[in-house]
Each structure stands twice: as C-alpha cells, then as structure tokens.
Amino acid sequence: MGSSANDEFEKNEKQAIHLGELLSKDIIDNEQVPNMERCLDLLKKLEVIHVNIVMLESTKLGKLLRKTIKTLTRHQRTASDDVKKDLQLIIEASNRILEKWKAIAEKEVKSKAKKKEADASCPGLPNSKDEYRARLVKQKKDMYKDPPAMPPAKVQIESKLCALPKRDAKSGELTFTTGEDNSIKAVLKEFHPNRTPEEILRAGSFGGTYFRPIMSAVTNTHYKSQDVLKETLPREWIDGIPMTSLTSSSYREHVNKYGVKCGGSLGMWESSGWIADSDPYGWFQWYCRFYQGRRCSDDSRQISRWLKSAGPKGRFRSQLCNKILAAEAKCDDKSISPVIRQTLLHWGLEITPEILEKHRKRVGK
C-alpha cells in the first residue's frame, strides 16, 4: 500500500472510529429514544464512508451498527405508533448499510481468493508460505510439514563447468573440485560418494520412478520425463535401461537392487523445504549435475544433506555399519538392513570393507 493510500485509509479509519463512538453515545448507550434527525445524520455519514475488511475488523463498526439496530428495535416495543414508524425507517436504513458492507467484504474475499489462486498458478518460486501451501494443496501433495517450510532461495548457477571427479581405484570413492565459489571446499573434504549417478541407476533405484512426469510445487511447472532426462544426464548413462525402470508413475520394489521400498514422496520433500528450483526432482538430480561439473549456490546445502545421511558420521551409514558389526556379517550381506542399503544407494554410497573398517576405528569396535 502506497503512502497516499495509507493516508486515505487512516483518514477513513479515524472517521469510522469517530462515527462508532457517536453510535455508542447517541444510540446504543442512550436509555432514551434517540433523536431521529441525529440518527439520520449518522446514517448518511455511514453511507458514504469507504470501508474494507481490515477497517471493519479494526473499528468494529459493523458490530456497533448491529447493536444499534437491536437498541432501536427494543425502543420500538414501547414507542408510539409514529415513533415506531420513524424507528423502522432508521432500522431499515441501517440494515441496508450492513448489507452493503457485507457485499463489499464478500467481494474483497473473492478477489483475494482469485489472486491467491492466480499466484498459485504462476510459474516460479512461491512468494509466501500461504502461496506455497496453496500450490501443494492444489497439486494434492502429501505434506510432511503443515504449514510447509519454504524452498531455498533462487539458485545461482556458475557459468563454467568443473572437471569430472577423480576416483580412487581401490575404494571407488569420488573426489570433487570446487568451482568459482571456494566456500564449499571445507565440506568437499568429506564428500566422497562411491557410486556414480550412472551406477545408481543401473543398480536399480527409486522403484523406477525417479524421472516420472511431475508437477513441481517449488517452480509451479510441469516436467516431462524425456525433457528432464535430456537436461539432467548423458544418454549413455541410461542406454539399455528400460524406460519403465526410470519413468514409471508407480513405485515397483522389484526394480530396486535390494528389492525393498524406501524414501518419501515428492510432497514430503517439497513441504520440508528440501527441494530447490534448480533441481525440482531432488538430491539425485542435483548429484547428476554436480557430477558432470555444474556448480551452483545450492551445493553447500546439498553436500551437507549428504554428510548427515551418508557421510562418515551420517545416520544411515552409521546405522548400517553398526548392524553389520553387531551381526559379525560381511559388508555386502544383503540380509542386513536392505532398506538402509537401498537408501544409501540413492545417496551414492554402498558399504565397502574400507568404509566398514573406517567406521570400526571411529566407534572403537
């Protein structure tokens, strides 16, 4: 609201407050039958005042006018016939004003609803939690958090690509380089997935659904499978993989390497504030692009998420290593926590003898 609009609102609000005080003094709190000319004068002023929902709520003017009608109706019961007629005219005029205000309020509510719906249909990041929630509801998404957490701010993409990561011949661990922004250098020291995006897909992952068509609540854009595949990864990564193992709309456990279901819904990820506009499909899409050399302002957050889940002290990695050690099993024993194994695969990590030994030394087992 501009300064002139604010001034006009304040002027009308002061006038409304003043008229409300006069209604109380001259009619509502007056035990005698009020002066008819005075009542008509007040109603004329109420007729022309500009109101909106905010003003009606702040001044309680509608409530005061309803009290005025009740007071006048009470006076009618004991008044003479002539006075009853005069009171009736004032009551009817008051009701017309109330109906007028009601229509103004309803129109304003409908206008705001239309704007909210229009905002929910515009592509791009949401401007508020209300707008974001409206998108999630409209798209019939599962909401892990309600109200939802807002997505990260618009992601900035660096103009130059970095070299592909180096891979340790023995452990299979990948080492990545920084781009223009050196601030991720510290977190990169511990960011060492040991499965490439291609290996994750070929192993069997995401129940075959990762690149299904989606409507993103973050960007408010519909994405088609073939377009996303083309923009996210090289064709050779998926040569020979059936499209049903990449773009299925229904989750199929048997597609997964460990034959189990894991992970949450897109709505869960979106409502938790985990999805950025640069990678509307989520962490794995970010990983595909990071692996190929893209660097962006969201890298630090995404790497931190990996560290918390699959890093040296990550919860899933630690849980699985502890279970393997407790069972005195081999690191690749599929009977030990297949759900956690599948989850870690989606994060680009599988437990190797080297990883298990590092964990053993860290926890002192």
PDB file of all heavy atoms in Angstrom, residues 211-236:
ATOM      1  N   PHE A 211      12.429 -40.360 -12.644  1.00  0.00           N
ATOM      2  CA  PHE A 211      12.231 -39.395 -13.720  1.00  0.00           C
ATOM      3  C   PHE A 211      10.820 -39.429 -14.303  1.00  0.00           C
ATOM      4  O   PHE A 211      10.621 -39.113 -15.476  1.00  0.00           O
ATOM      5  CB  PHE A 211      13.286 -39.619 -14.816  1.00  0.00           C
ATOM      6  CG  PHE A 211      14.682 -39.266 -14.374  1.00  0.00           C
ATOM      7  CD1 PHE A 211      15.584 -40.264 -14.032  1.00  0.00           C
ATOM      8  CD2 PHE A 211      15.080 -37.943 -14.257  1.00  0.00           C
ATOM      9  CE1 PHE A 211      16.869 -39.940 -13.612  1.00  0.00           C
ATOM     10  CE2 PHE A 211      16.351 -37.614 -13.828  1.00  0.00           C
ATOM     11  CZ  PHE A 211      17.253 -38.610 -13.511  1.00  0.00           C
ATOM     12  N   ARG A 212       9.855 -39.783 -13.469  1.00  0.00           N
ATOM     13  CA  ARG A 212       8.449 -39.744 -13.894  1.00  0.00           C
ATOM     14  C   ARG A 212       8.033 -38.292 -14.147  1.00  0.00           C
ATOM     15  O   ARG A 212       8.681 -37.363 -13.652  1.00  0.00           O
ATOM     16  CB  ARG A 212       7.558 -40.334 -12.796  1.00  0.00           C
ATOM     17  CG  ARG A 212       7.485 -39.461 -11.551  1.00  0.00           C
ATOM     18  CD  ARG A 212       7.006 -40.223 -10.336  1.00  0.00           C
ATOM     19  NE  ARG A 212       6.931 -39.349  -9.145  1.00  0.00           N
ATOM     20  CZ  ARG A 212       7.972 -38.978  -8.423  1.00  0.00           C
ATOM     21  NH1 ARG A 212       9.197 -39.356  -8.770  1.00  0.00           N
ATOM     22  NH2 ARG A 212       7.808 -38.215  -7.356  1.00  0.00           N
ATOM     23  N   PRO A 213       6.952 -38.060 -14.872  1.00  0.00           N
ATOM     24  CA  PRO A 213       6.459 -36.687 -15.030  1.00  0.00           C
ATOM     25  C   PRO A 213       5.991 -36.158 -13.667  1.00  0.00           C
ATOM     26  O   PRO A 213       5.360 -36.890 -12.905  1.00  0.00           O
ATOM     27  CB  PRO A 213       5.263 -36.841 -15.984  1.00  0.00           C
ATOM     28  CG  PRO A 213       5.405 -38.196 -16.591  1.00  0.00           C
ATOM     29  CD  PRO A 213       6.126 -39.044 -15.594  1.00  0.00           C
ATOM     30  N   ILE A 214       6.320 -34.916 -13.380  1.00  0.00           N
ATOM     31  CA  ILE A 214       5.875 -34.329 -12.105  1.00  0.00           C
ATOM     32  C   ILE A 214       5.364 -32.907 -12.320  1.00  0.00           C
ATOM     33  O   ILE A 214       5.707 -32.243 -13.298  1.00  0.00           O
ATOM     34  CB  ILE A 214       6.999 -34.283 -11.046  1.00  0.00           C
ATOM     35  CG1 ILE A 214       8.111 -33.309 -11.466  1.00  0.00           C
ATOM     36  CG2 ILE A 214       7.537 -35.671 -10.743  1.00  0.00           C
ATOM     37  CD1 ILE A 214       9.062 -32.921 -10.349  1.00  0.00           C
ATOM     38  N   MET A 215       4.547 -32.459 -11.374  1.00  0.00           N
ATOM     39  CA  MET A 215       4.175 -31.044 -11.264  1.00  0.00           C
ATOM     40  C   MET A 215       4.871 -30.546 -10.015  1.00  0.00           C
ATOM     41  O   MET A 215       4.608 -31.023  -8.911  1.00  0.00           O
ATOM     42  CB  MET A 215       2.652 -30.894 -11.137  1.00  0.00           C
ATOM     43  CG  MET A 215       2.200 -29.448 -11.037  1.00  0.00           C
ATOM     44  SD  MET A 215       2.515 -28.537 -12.579  1.00  0.00           S
ATOM     45  CE  MET A 215       2.124 -26.864 -12.060  1.00  0.00           C
ATOM     46  N   SER A 216       5.783 -29.624 -10.183  1.00  0.00           N
ATOM     47  CA  SER A 216       6.574 -29.137  -9.058  1.00  0.00           C
ATOM     48  C   SER A 216       5.860 -28.003  -8.333  1.00  0.00           C
ATOM     49  O   SER A 216       5.441 -27.015  -8.952  1.00  0.00           O
ATOM     50  CB  SER A 216       7.939 -28.634  -9.551  1.00  0.00           C
ATOM     51  OG  SER A 216       8.616 -27.918  -8.534  1.00  0.00           O
ATOM     52  N   ALA A 217       5.728 -28.139  -7.015  1.00  0.00           N
ATOM     53  CA  ALA A 217       5.164 -27.054  -6.206  1.00  0.00           C
ATOM     54  C   ALA A 217       6.202 -25.952  -5.993  1.00  0.00           C
ATOM     55  O   ALA A 217       5.845 -24.812  -5.715  1.00  0.00           O
ATOM     56  CB  ALA A 217       4.690 -27.594  -4.861  1.00  0.00           C
ATOM     57  N   VAL A 218       7.469 -26.297  -6.151  1.00  0.00           N
ATOM     58  CA  VAL A 218       8.544 -25.318  -5.958  1.00  0.00           C
ATOM     59  C   VAL A 218       8.584 -24.325  -7.122  1.00  0.00           C
ATOM     60  O   VAL A 218       8.640 -23.109  -6.924  1.00  0.00           O
ATOM     61  CB  VAL A 218       9.910 -26.021  -5.804  1.00  0.00           C
ATOM     62  CG1 VAL A 218      11.053 -25.002  -5.793  1.00  0.00           C
ATOM     63  CG2 VAL A 218       9.935 -26.847  -4.530  1.00  0.00           C
ATOM     64  N   THR A 219       8.555 -24.844  -8.345  1.00  0.00           N
ATOM     65  CA  THR A 219       8.620 -23.975  -9.524  1.00  0.00           C
ATOM     66  C   THR A 219       7.262 -23.755 -10.171  1.00  0.00           C
ATOM     67  O   THR A 219       7.124 -22.922 -11.061  1.00  0.00           O
ATOM     68  CB  THR A 219       9.556 -24.581 -10.580  1.00  0.00           C
ATOM     69  OG1 THR A 219       8.983 -25.826 -11.038  1.00  0.00           O
ATOM     70  CG2 THR A 219      10.934 -24.843 -10.018  1.00  0.00           C
ATOM     71  N   ASN A 220       6.270 -24.521  -9.735  1.00  0.00           N
ATOM     72  CA  ASN A 220       4.916 -24.458 -10.304  1.00  0.00           C
ATOM     73  C   ASN A 220       4.943 -24.755 -11.808  1.00  0.00           C
ATOM     74  O   ASN A 220       4.260 -24.101 -12.601  1.00  0.00           O
ATOM     75  CB  ASN A 220       4.267 -23.107 -10.042  1.00  0.00           C
ATOM     76  CG  ASN A 220       2.798 -23.247  -9.683  1.00  0.00           C
ATOM     77  OD1 ASN A 220       2.352 -24.296  -9.236  1.00  0.00           O
ATOM     78  ND2 ASN A 220       2.046 -22.193  -9.888  1.00  0.00           N
ATOM     79  N   THR A 221       5.743 -25.725 -12.161  1.00  0.00           N
ATOM     80  CA  THR A 221       5.941 -26.098 -13.558  1.00  0.00           C
ATOM     81  C   THR A 221       5.764 -27.598 -13.711  1.00  0.00           C
ATOM     82  O   THR A 221       6.156 -28.366 -12.827  1.00  0.00           O
ATOM     83  CB  THR A 221       7.357 -25.699 -14.025  1.00  0.00           C
ATOM     84  OG1 THR A 221       7.517 -24.282 -13.849  1.00  0.00           O
ATOM     85  CG2 THR A 221       7.594 -26.062 -15.479  1.00  0.00           C
ATOM     86  N   HIS A 222       5.176 -28.005 -14.844  1.00  0.00           N
ATOM     87  CA  HIS A 222       5.032 -29.437 -15.139  1.00  0.00           C
ATOM     88  C   HIS A 222       6.244 -29.898 -15.933  1.00  0.00           C
ATOM     89  O   HIS A 222       6.667 -29.248 -16.899  1.00  0.00           O
ATOM     90  CB  HIS A 222       3.754 -29.681 -15.956  1.00  0.00           C
ATOM     91  CG  HIS A 222       3.517 -31.129 -16.238  1.00  0.00           C
ATOM     92  ND1 HIS A 222       3.935 -31.745 -17.395  1.00  0.00           N
ATOM     93  CD2 HIS A 222       2.920 -32.097 -15.493  1.00  0.00           C
ATOM     94  CE1 HIS A 222       3.609 -33.028 -17.354  1.00  0.00           C
ATOM     95  NE2 HIS A 222       2.987 -33.264 -16.217  1.00  0.00           N
ATOM     96  N   TYR A 223       6.823 -31.001 -15.508  1.00  0.00           N
ATOM     97  CA  TYR A 223       8.016 -31.537 -16.166  1.00  0.00           C
ATOM     98  C   TYR A 223       7.710 -32.877 -16.833  1.00  0.00           C
ATOM     99  O   TYR A 223       7.083 -33.747 -16.223  1.00  0.00           O
ATOM    100  CB  TYR A 223       9.151 -31.711 -15.155  1.00  0.00           C
ATOM    101  CG  TYR A 223       9.637 -30.406 -14.575  1.00  0.00           C
ATOM    102  CD1 TYR A 223       9.111 -29.928 -13.379  1.00  0.00           C
ATOM    103  CD2 TYR A 223      10.601 -29.638 -15.235  1.00  0.00           C
ATOM    104  CE1 TYR A 223       9.538 -28.717 -12.848  1.00  0.00           C
ATOM    105  CE2 TYR A 223      11.034 -28.427 -14.695  1.00  0.00           C
ATOM    106  CZ  TYR A 223      10.500 -27.973 -13.513  1.00  0.00           C
ATOM    107  OH  TYR A 223      10.925 -26.778 -12.989  1.00  0.00           O
ATOM    108  N   LYS A 224       8.184 -33.021 -18.067  1.00  0.00           N
ATOM    109  CA  LYS A 224       8.014 -34.264 -18.816  1.00  0.00           C
ATOM    110  C   LYS A 224       9.277 -35.112 -18.697  1.00  0.00           C
ATOM    111  O   LYS A 224      10.397 -34.580 -18.715  1.00  0.00           O
ATOM    112  CB  LYS A 224       7.722 -33.967 -20.283  1.00  0.00           C
ATOM    113  CG  LYS A 224       6.416 -33.212 -20.504  1.00  0.00           C
ATOM    114  CD  LYS A 224       6.215 -32.923 -21.986  1.00  0.00           C
ATOM    115  CE  LYS A 224       4.917 -32.162 -22.216  1.00  0.00           C
ATOM    116  NZ  LYS A 224       4.708 -31.838 -23.653  1.00  0.00           N
ATOM    117  N   SER A 225       9.090 -36.404 -18.618  1.00  0.00           N
ATOM    118  CA  SER A 225      10.205 -37.323 -18.375  1.00  0.00           C
ATOM    119  C   SER A 225      11.342 -37.156 -19.374  1.00  0.00           C
ATOM    120  O   SER A 225      12.512 -37.012 -18.997  1.00  0.00           O
ATOM    121  CB  SER A 225       9.707 -38.769 -18.408  1.00  0.00           C
ATOM    122  OG  SER A 225       8.760 -38.990 -17.399  1.00  0.00           O
ATOM    123  N   GLN A 226      11.018 -37.194 -20.660  1.00  0.00           N
ATOM    124  CA  GLN A 226      12.067 -37.155 -21.679  1.00  0.00           C
ATOM    125  C   GLN A 226      12.848 -35.842 -21.646  1.00  0.00           C
ATOM    126  O   GLN A 226      14.071 -35.839 -21.845  1.00  0.00           O
ATOM    127  CB  GLN A 226      11.455 -37.388 -23.069  1.00  0.00           C
ATOM    128  CG  GLN A 226      10.879 -38.787 -23.274  1.00  0.00           C
ATOM    129  CD  GLN A 226      11.910 -39.882 -23.003  1.00  0.00           C
ATOM    130  OE1 GLN A 226      13.090 -39.764 -23.356  1.00  0.00           O
ATOM    131  NE2 GLN A 226      11.477 -40.962 -22.359  1.00  0.00           N
ATOM    132  N   ASP A 227      12.143 -34.739 -21.382  1.00  0.00           N
ATOM    133  CA  ASP A 227      12.828 -33.444 -21.300  1.00  0.00           C
ATOM    134  C   ASP A 227      13.789 -33.413 -20.122  1.00  0.00           C
ATOM    135  O   ASP A 227      14.924 -32.936 -20.236  1.00  0.00           O
ATOM    136  CB  ASP A 227      11.808 -32.309 -21.144  1.00  0.00           C
ATOM    137  CG  ASP A 227      10.941 -32.132 -22.386  1.00  0.00           C
ATOM    138  OD1 ASP A 227      11.363 -32.588 -23.467  1.00  0.00           O
ATOM    139  OD2 ASP A 227       9.843 -31.553 -22.263  1.00  0.00           O
ATOM    140  N   VAL A 228      13.341 -33.940 -18.973  1.00  0.00           N
ATOM    141  CA  VAL A 228      14.170 -33.925 -17.764  1.00  0.00           C
ATOM    142  C   VAL A 228      15.380 -34.844 -17.932  1.00  0.00           C
ATOM    143  O   VAL A 228      16.498 -34.490 -17.546  1.00  0.00           O
ATOM    144  CB  VAL A 228      13.347 -34.328 -16.521  1.00  0.00           C
ATOM    145  CG1 VAL A 228      14.245 -34.421 -15.290  1.00  0.00           C
ATOM    146  CG2 VAL A 228      12.231 -33.319 -16.274  1.00  0.00           C
ATOM    147  N   LEU A 229      15.166 -36.019 -18.513  1.00  0.00           N
ATOM    148  CA  LEU A 229      16.283 -36.934 -18.755  1.00  0.00           C
ATOM    149  C   LEU A 229      17.338 -36.273 -19.644  1.00  0.00           C
ATOM    150  O   LEU A 229      18.542 -36.349 -19.376  1.00  0.00           O
ATOM    151  CB  LEU A 229      15.783 -38.217 -19.412  1.00  0.00           C
ATOM    152  CG  LEU A 229      15.092 -39.226 -18.493  1.00  0.00           C
ATOM    153  CD1 LEU A 229      14.377 -40.285 -19.319  1.00  0.00           C
ATOM    154  CD2 LEU A 229      16.083 -39.885 -17.546  1.00  0.00           C
ATOM    155  N   LYS A 230      16.877 -35.614 -20.685  1.00  0.00           N
ATOM    156  CA  LYS A 230      17.788 -34.966 -21.630  1.00  0.00           C
ATOM    157  C   LYS A 230      18.575 -33.841 -20.957  1.00  0.00           C
ATOM    158  O   LYS A 230      19.760 -33.638 -21.239  1.00  0.00           O
ATOM    159  CB  LYS A 230      16.981 -34.408 -22.806  1.00  0.00           C
ATOM    160  CG  LYS A 230      17.834 -33.916 -23.979  1.00  0.00           C
ATOM    161  CD  LYS A 230      16.953 -33.345 -25.086  1.00  0.00           C
ATOM    162  CE  LYS A 230      16.056 -34.409 -25.681  1.00  0.00           C
ATOM    163  NZ  LYS A 230      15.258 -33.871 -26.838  1.00  0.00           N
ATOM    164  N   GLU A 231      17.916 -33.106 -20.055  1.00  0.00           N
ATOM    165  CA  GLU A 231      18.556 -31.956 -19.400  1.00  0.00           C
ATOM    166  C   GLU A 231      19.413 -32.348 -18.199  1.00  0.00           C
ATOM    167  O   GLU A 231      20.223 -31.548 -17.729  1.00  0.00           O
ATOM    168  CB  GLU A 231      17.477 -30.968 -18.929  1.00  0.00           C
ATOM    169  CG  GLU A 231      16.695 -30.326 -20.067  1.00  0.00           C
ATOM    170  CD  GLU A 231      15.429 -29.637 -19.580  1.00  0.00           C
ATOM    171  OE1 GLU A 231      15.188 -29.655 -18.349  1.00  0.00           O
ATOM    172  OE2 GLU A 231      14.682 -29.105 -20.415  1.00  0.00           O
ATOM    173  N   THR A 232      19.227 -33.591 -17.703  1.00  0.00           N
ATOM    174  CA  THR A 232      19.877 -33.977 -16.445  1.00  0.00           C
ATOM    175  C   THR A 232      21.097 -34.859 -16.634  1.00  0.00           C
ATOM    176  O   THR A 232      22.080 -34.741 -15.882  1.00  0.00           O
ATOM    177  CB  THR A 232      18.871 -34.696 -15.523  1.00  0.00           C
ATOM    178  OG1 THR A 232      17.759 -33.833 -15.278  1.00  0.00           O
ATOM    179  CG2 THR A 232      19.499 -35.074 -14.187  1.00  0.00           C
ATOM    180  N   LEU A 233      21.063 -35.750 -17.620  1.00  0.00           N
ATOM    181  CA  LEU A 233      22.166 -36.723 -17.731  1.00  0.00           C
ATOM    182  C   LEU A 233      22.452 -37.105 -19.179  1.00  0.00           C
ATOM    183  O   LEU A 233      21.596 -36.958 -20.057  1.00  0.00           O
ATOM    184  CB  LEU A 233      21.842 -37.962 -16.895  1.00  0.00           C
ATOM    185  CG  LEU A 233      20.434 -38.578 -17.004  1.00  0.00           C
ATOM    186  CD1 LEU A 233      20.289 -39.411 -18.246  1.00  0.00           C
ATOM    187  CD2 LEU A 233      20.135 -39.415 -15.774  1.00  0.00           C
ATOM    188  N   PRO A 234      23.673 -37.618 -19.437  1.00  0.00           N
ATOM    189  CA  PRO A 234      24.021 -38.061 -20.788  1.00  0.00           C
ATOM    190  C   PRO A 234      23.236 -39.326 -21.162  1.00  0.00           C
ATOM    191  O   PRO A 234      22.952 -40.156 -20.299  1.00  0.00           O
ATOM    192  CB  PRO A 234      25.517 -38.373 -20.687  1.00  0.00           C
ATOM    193  CG  PRO A 234      25.982 -37.754 -19.421  1.00  0.00           C
ATOM    194  CD  PRO A 234      24.807 -37.730 -18.508  1.00  0.00           C
ATOM    195  N   ARG A 235      22.942 -39.480 -22.417  1.00  0.00           N
ATOM    196  CA  ARG A 235      22.160 -40.621 -22.885  1.00  0.00           C
ATOM    197  C   ARG A 235      22.853 -41.945 -22.562  1.00  0.00           C
ATOM    198  O   ARG A 235      22.178 -42.937 -22.222  1.00  0.00           O
ATOM    199  CB  ARG A 235      21.943 -40.511 -24.403  1.00  0.00           C
ATOM    200  CG  ARG A 235      21.083 -41.618 -25.000  1.00  0.00           C
ATOM    201  CD  ARG A 235      19.652 -41.471 -24.562  1.00  0.00           C
ATOM    202  NE  ARG A 235      18.891 -42.694 -24.796  1.00  0.00           N
ATOM    203  CZ  ARG A 235      17.594 -42.816 -24.580  1.00  0.00           C
ATOM    204  NH1 ARG A 235      16.907 -41.799 -24.113  1.00  0.00           N
ATOM    205  NH2 ARG A 235      16.972 -43.943 -24.818  1.00  0.00           N
ATOM    206  N   GLU A 236      24.197 -41.966 -22.637  1.00  0.00           N
ATOM    207  CA  GLU A 236      24.908 -43.237 -22.420  1.00  0.00           C
ATOM    208  C   GLU A 236      24.738 -43.772 -20.998  1.00  0.00           C
ATOM    209  O   GLU A 236      24.916 -44.972 -20.749  1.00  0.00           O
ATOM    210  CB  GLU A 236      26.398 -43.095 -22.757  1.00  0.00           C
ATOM    211  CG  GLU A 236      27.138 -42.007 -22.015  1.00  0.00           C
ATOM    212  CD  GLU A 236      27.207 -40.706 -22.804  1.00  0.00           C
ATOM    213  OE1 GLU A 236      26.319 -40.478 -23.657  1.00  0.00           O
ATOM    214  OE2 GLU A 236      28.158 -39.932 -22.569  1.00  0.00           O
TER     215      GLU A 236
END
